[in-house]
Amino acid sequence: MQRHTTGGRLRGAFATGAAIALLVAACGGSTGTTAPASTAADSAAPAGSEAAPSGSGAAYTGPPVTIEYAIWGDPAEINSQKAVVEGFTAANPDITVDVTVADWEAYWDKLQTGLAGGAAPDVFAMDGPLGPDYQGRGVLLDLKPFIDAEGYDLGQLDDNAVKDFTTKDGVVFGLPRDLNVIALYYNKDMFDAAGIPYPDDTWTRDKLLEVGKQLTKDTDGDGTIDQWGVYTETTDMENAWSSFVWQAGGDILTEDGTKSALDRPESAAGIQFLQDLIWKEKVIPDPAIFAETGDAFEQGVAAMEINGSWLVPTHEAAGINLGIAQLPAGPAGKATSVNPTGAVVYANTDAPEASWLLAKYLASPEAQEKIMALKASVPVNKEILSTSYPASFDGAQVFADSLAFAHLKPAFPGYNEFNTILQTELDENVFNAPNKTAADAIASVNEQLNGILASGTP
């Protein structure tokens, strides 16, 4: 399942608009904290259906119903997504699932409109960091009563992913569906042509820089680089710079999550490393060069790319002789980013039982096998993750192994505002132009970031 069709470049544009749109949604729909599932389901359930499950039975007990399941991705993936839920509808013939797909930006725009108008999809995909903002506005159903009634074992799912959809006071506002992990892609043909061994798990950031320089070339001698050693997207922490921060021994937030940790020297050093790769070492292109045309690695003009697991099918479709390796280690060791996508249920759905069953199904081994086959994400179900996934394609083992040193992308109320302020400063003064050092850029916004975290609201 494609995470977002144009990578991190759309995140900044979404963040500002979504912060406003969510306020509208809060005014038009539920407000305050999420209502207990027993209350929300009792008021929303159609006559003859059960508002919450009874006993441990997993079969649907309500009347025939149609529910909408909305996800982001390439609209051309609609048939693949319908195939994922075929097993669910076969086992639950009284439930019809209408699958809708939109690209990253359009998905969120449509969701905001639906929430504001009180007509959101019954089940919809949720990006981990954005979950707390939605949950705090009461638009997501608490799934804990369903989990308790069935004795559903959350331990069968990746621990970090479950954490992202659970509040401190025990509300479970979604079930994780898949994982997105950052790794190092490389073009085997470019390495072969240069006689350079492929990246492996012994690589450090010094080795990345060394090989990046060797593979950055002006092949036609016109004074302009036309083959880059490395490519990454700089407009979101997930693509590269958060991993560099963790590899340097820094962090995004303090341990208790109440303050920014970006002002620590180690954190700034991680971001500075990326700026240096662009402007000092010149092995990563100035972001402006590919701002309009997109992924340089996919175009065959970069030898390596630091980016997410969602790009596997895209790169394969581009005809690249693809290799995948772990991110090189930094001064503090190995680190990468993991970010789950979850399935959440609209608090005012007319079909809470059917919606819960679909969310649960998407995390089941049967559905996870189908999600795995799409190659665009890492399974969240531990059974599939440890058995069939590692051998499912060349490079899958790398993503699975990387979970051992992965850090969860931060998720907290106010994430959008925090990210917009921070990323705007980094884009303008660190990555798009070396106007400031990373430390100076962070110093200029850190007080604002701490204010957002202190308020606990978006």
Side-chain angles (χ1 to χ4, degrees):
M1 252 169 255
Q2 194 166 355
R3 180 164 174 74
H4 42 91
T5 56
T6 54
R9 291 182 289 119
L10 287 178
R11 285 190 179 273
F14 161 66
T16 303
I20 298 171
L22 276 170
L23 291 174
V24 174
C27 295
S30 303
T31 57
T33 58
T34 301
S38 57
T39 301
D42 286 343
S43 62
S49 69
E50 293 185 7
S54 60
S56 59
Y60 178 61
T61 60
V65 66
T66 296
I67 60 175
E68 180 185 357
Y69 170 43
I71 62 176
W72 64 76
D74 185 339
E77 295 176 6
I78 187 70
N79 290 331
S80 296
Q81 304 313 321
K82 288 181 178 179
V84 170
V85 301
E86 280 179 355
F88 173 76
T89 52
N92 298 276
D94 285 334
I95 304 175
T96 300
V97 179
D98 181 12
V99 182
T100 60
V101 182
D103 65 34
W104 176 261
E105 188 172 46
Y107 172 83
W108 295 104
D109 288 344
K110 182 179 179 181
L111 180 60
Q112 307 314 323
T113 301
L115 288 170
D122 300 279
V123 182
F124 52 95
M126 177 57 62
D127 191 32
L130 304 180
D133 277 344
Y134 283 78
Q135 190 276 332
R137 289 179 170 87
V139 297
L140 304 181
L141 189 66
D142 182 5
L143 303 181
K144 188 64 159 53
F146 293 88
I147 291 168
D148 290 346
E150 290 193 14
Y152 180 80
D153 181 15
L154 288 172
Q156 66 187 289
L157 308 178
D158 178 82
D159 297 338
N160 270 331
V162 170
K163 178 182 177 181
D164 235 13
F165 294 94
T166 306
T167 68
K168 292 180 179 179
D169 57 357
V171 171
V172 181
F173 58 88
L175 288 184
R177 186 198 67 190
D178 55 58
L179 300 166
N180 304 282
V181 182
I182 305 300
L184 180 68
Y185 294 101
Y186 59 94
N187 187 316
K188 293 181 179 180
D189 291 341
M190 289 185 179
F191 274 77
D192 291 344
I196 299 174
Y198 299 151
D200 59 32
D201 58 10
T202 68
W203 269 38
T204 64
R205 293 198 326 207
D206 288 342
K207 186 67 173 180
L208 177 72
L209 175 57
E210 174 192 334
V211 175
K213 286 182 175 181
Q214 294 172 358
L215 292 170
T216 299
K217 301 178 180 181
D218 171 15
T219 58
D220 58 11
D222 66 353
T224 301
I225 295 173
D226 45 38
Q227 177 180 297
W228 296 90
V230 187
Y231 173 75
T232 192
E233 296 177 78
T234 58
T235 54
D236 187 85
M237 68 174 74
E238 182 175 5
N239 302 97
W241 72 252
S242 62
S243 295
F244 289 157
V245 166
W246 292 316
Q247 291 169 6
D251 214 332
I252 313 300
L253 304 181
T254 55
E255 286 74 10
D256 61 5
T258 62
K259 292 183 179 179
S260 163
L262 291 166
D263 58 345
R264 296 175 180 173
E266 298 87 354
S267 303
I271 297 173
Q272 188 64 49
F273 177 70
L274 180 53
Q275 184 193 56
D276 288 347
L277 289 178
I278 300 168
W279 294 105
K280 178 182 177 182
E281 308 295 352
K282 299 186 184 301
V283 298
I284 292 179
D286 167 359
I289 297 175
F290 293 97
E292 298 300 324
T293 59
D295 194 310
F297 182 81
E298 185 181 331
Q299 296 171 41
V301 293
M304 293 177 279
E305 177 173 18
I306 298 169
N307 221 321
S309 47
W310 59 87
L311 287 176
V312 171
T314 304
H315 289 339
E316 288 185 346
I320 296 169
N321 189 3
L322 187 65
I324 305 173
Q326 295 178 6
L327 287 190
K334 288 183 178 292
T336 191
S337 172
V338 62
N339 180 26
T341 296
V344 298
V345 176
Y346 180 40
N348 295 324
T349 176
D350 290 331
E353 181 189 358
S355 298
W356 150 252
L357 290 174
L358 176 59
K360 182 180 70 169
Y361 173 79
L362 292 170
S364 71
E366 178 183 350
Q368 293 281 292
E369 287 277 1
K370 294 179 180 180
I371 291 172
M372 174 191 77
L374 299 175
K375 299 184 182 181
S377 54
V378 180
V380 72
N381 186 282
K382 290 179 180 177
E383 175 187 339
I384 304 304
L385 188 57
S386 64
T387 56
S388 53
Y389 175 71
S392 63
F393 64 90
D394 188 15
Q397 184 74 60
V398 170
F399 291 118
D401 291 346
S402 294
L403 290 173
F405 50 84
H407 294 241
L408 189 62
K409 186 179 181 182
F412 52 89
Y415 172 86
N416 265 328
E417 187 180 0
F418 181 102
N419 186 57
T420 299
I421 291 170
L422 172 60
Q423 196 62 53
T424 298
E425 174 65 22
L426 295 179
D427 286 341
E428 292 179 355
N429 294 309
V430 177
F431 301 137
N432 293 358
N435 297 327
K436 300 178 182 178
T437 65
D440 287 344
I442 291 166
S444 68
V445 297
N446 210 55
E447 185 175 345
Q448 290 176 271
L449 302 182
N450 283 331
I452 295 168
L453 292 167
S455 70
T457 58

